[in-house]
Amino acid sequence: MVNWETAVPSTGLGRDGIELQLSDVWRRLLNRTDIGIHDDFFSLGGHSLLAIRLTVEVRRLFQVDLSAADLLSAATVAELAEIIRRGTAGSSGQLVRIQAGSGGSPVYALPPVSGTVLLYPPIARAMGRDQPFWAVQSVGLLPGEEPLTSIEEISEAFIEQLRGVHPEGAEWNLIGYSMGGLLAYETARRLRERGERVGLVGLLDTRITVEPSGDPDFALRALLWRGLKLDVDIDWLRGLDPDTRAAELVRRAVAAGTMPADFDADRLRRMIDMYQFNLDALAAYRIKPYDGTVTVFRVTDRSLEGGTLPDDLGWGDVAARAVVCDVPGDHFTMVEPGQVEVLGRRLREQVDLLNTVTPLT
């Protein structure tokens, strides 16, 4: 990850053919001409869909497969070029360091229903460059991985991963967007049971649970409509076998211009499968009480909710204390430019507050 205190000033000139080609790809994807080899992809406006397109371009040009972890830990042209020169992407499991920071208790971000963590870099930046920030992506997104099937099992796996980087004696600050909030809650609950110090449990517009009577296709609809920009009959889609479904979605997305022509259908199939595995895990989860504080970051635009929900989204019923922090936007726009800056500031305020007081007992 680039050191923001000592980074070389940006330059638009690549130092070799790889950097020149990567700079050209970034200019096209980001629709900008002011690309420097030490500029951060996400700070320039990169987001999850553009990141997917970037990995496809890298595969096409250099025959190197990138994971989300690779892109997040090598988010500049110069750093990405180093991976390409080696001819292979590194493997760091599910754990991704988004920014090193300069000390203090880290923040750990747990994945939403998509399983990816590409939405978290703007949140980390908005919290401040000095804030250490890690994220964990779901098992099952990479070839050969078998997804985990319960919230409890996923939480245990995340704790095992995070212990390898967690500073001894530091508070555990856990956040999660949407489903990631439930993972943060369950992880915090398990840590507290073991006598660990838990600071922020940040629930980013997370409902307390997914009811069986709710829309089981909510996340899949979000992937199709907001990511791939496709209006597809969900019932028809579910009637297709997985390979046919992925191939059909790739065909339609390419025709709509929301996916590169050479996108790998197998990669999209794994993404779709991850949504379903996580939805099933959510529906089966039975929440247990937590004897600490949770902080609910509640959107002010509630027009998408389709009903009246309590301000704390029900978390006061299971946690010893639920604090509500209002943030601008709706469930989707709260993590987008223009809104995410406020979310980041409020997260940082809560981290600083909860890491200076004695946790509830």
Side-chain angles (χ1 to χ4, degrees):
M1 202 68 180
V2 64
N3 184 330
W4 291 96
E5 302 299 326
T6 60
V8 177
S10 295
T11 173
L13 299 176
R15 295 169 296 186
D16 61 15
I18 292 175
E19 291 184 0
L20 286 170
Q21 289 183 84
L22 285 175
S23 296
D24 182 60
V25 170
W26 283 32
R27 280 191 287 269
R28 287 188 282 108
L29 292 180
L30 298 168
N31 194 27
R32 304 178 61 132
T33 58
D34 57 337
I35 300 296
I37 63 171
H38 299 290
D39 290 332
D40 183 276
F41 180 78
F42 297 97
S43 295
L44 292 175
H47 51 73
S48 57
L49 182 59
L50 287 180
I52 291 171
R53 297 181 68 179
L54 176 57
T55 64
V56 171
E57 286 292 296
V58 168
R59 176 189 290 184
R60 181 179 67 83
L61 290 170
F62 307 108
Q63 292 75 56
V64 172
D65 285 317
L66 297 174
S67 67
D70 295 316
L71 186 54
L72 290 172
S73 62
T76 72
V77 166
E79 291 169 327
L80 200 53
E82 283 301 313
I83 289 179
I84 293 169
R85 292 186 191 104
R86 294 198 302 267
T88 182
S91 176
S92 57
Q94 284 67 51
L95 188 60
V96 183
R97 187 173 74 177
I98 291 179
Q99 61 185 32
S102 57
S105 297
V107 167
Y108 303 117
L110 306 186
V113 72
S114 67
T116 68
V117 294
L118 292 169
L119 67 93
Y120 286 120
I123 296 175
R125 309 291 188 259
M127 290 188 71
R129 304 291 186 182
D130 61 331
Q131 174 62 60
F133 198 108
W134 295 79
V136 193
Q137 71 176 13
S138 293
V139 179
L141 286 170
L142 299 179
E145 292 183 346
E146 288 296 325
L148 304 178
T149 57
S150 74
I151 297 296
E152 295 85 355
E153 186 181 18
I154 295 168
S155 176
E156 282 297 324
F158 286 169
I159 290 173
E160 182 178 350
Q161 288 262 326
L162 293 170
R163 282 200 187 281
V165 299
H166 186 66
E168 184 176 357
E171 297 90 349
W172 289 84
N173 299 304
L174 303 153
I175 71 170
Y177 170 71
S178 197
M179 170 188 165
L182 280 165
L183 289 170
Y185 176 89
E186 179 62 24
T187 301
R189 195 187 66 77
R190 289 169 177 265
L191 289 167
R192 285 276 291 189
E193 283 184 342
R194 296 165 193 178
E196 302 271 1
R197 298 171 59 204
V198 177
L200 176 67
V201 183
L203 313 176
L204 278 53
D205 206 46
T206 299
R207 299 189 186 189
I208 193 169
T209 189
V210 174
E211 298 293 339
S213 59
D215 180 5
D217 296 316
F218 174 78
L220 183 55
R221 293 180 201 276
L223 170 68
L224 295 175
W225 296 347
R226 294 185 59 83
L228 302 179
K229 312 295 184 186
L230 297 177
D231 186 1
V232 181
D233 183 275
I234 297 293
D235 292 333
W236 169 80
L237 192 63
R238 286 196 172 279
L240 302 177
D241 67 82
D243 292 337
T244 303
R245 179 174 58 184
E248 180 64 20
L249 287 176
V250 168
R251 184 186 69 78
R252 293 186 179 215
V254 169
T258 58
M259 183 175 284
D262 54 356
F263 190 84
D264 186 347
D266 181 62
R267 185 180 300 187
L268 181 61
R269 183 184 60 77
R270 291 196 301 272
M271 291 170 60
I272 297 170
D273 289 347
M274 180 56 63
Y275 270 79
Q276 191 56 55
F277 273 107
N278 283 335
L279 282 169
D280 292 344
L282 280 173
Y285 180 54
R286 297 295 177 262
I287 199 163
K288 295 179 180 179
Y290 174 62
D291 65 351
T293 298
V294 299
T295 305
V296 183
F297 293 84
R298 189 75 160 91
V299 293
T300 54
D301 180 353
R302 303 175 185 178
S303 59
L304 298 178
E305 292 181 0
T308 302
L309 297 172
D311 281 347
D312 67 0
L313 293 173
W315 289 101
D317 295 337
V318 294
R321 180 171 176 244
V323 175
V324 178
C325 287
D326 287 335
V327 293
D330 60 33
H331 182 75
F332 296 109
T333 61
M334 68 183 294
V335 294
E336 294 180 352
Q339 321 284 18
V340 73
E341 295 82 5
V342 177
L343 173 62
R345 288 199 298 271
R346 303 249 164 99
L347 279 165
R348 181 58 182 268
E349 290 167 1
Q350 292 300 311
V351 167
D352 292 344
L353 173 66
L354 291 169
N355 285 194
T356 57
V357 299
T358 302
L360 286 173
T361 57

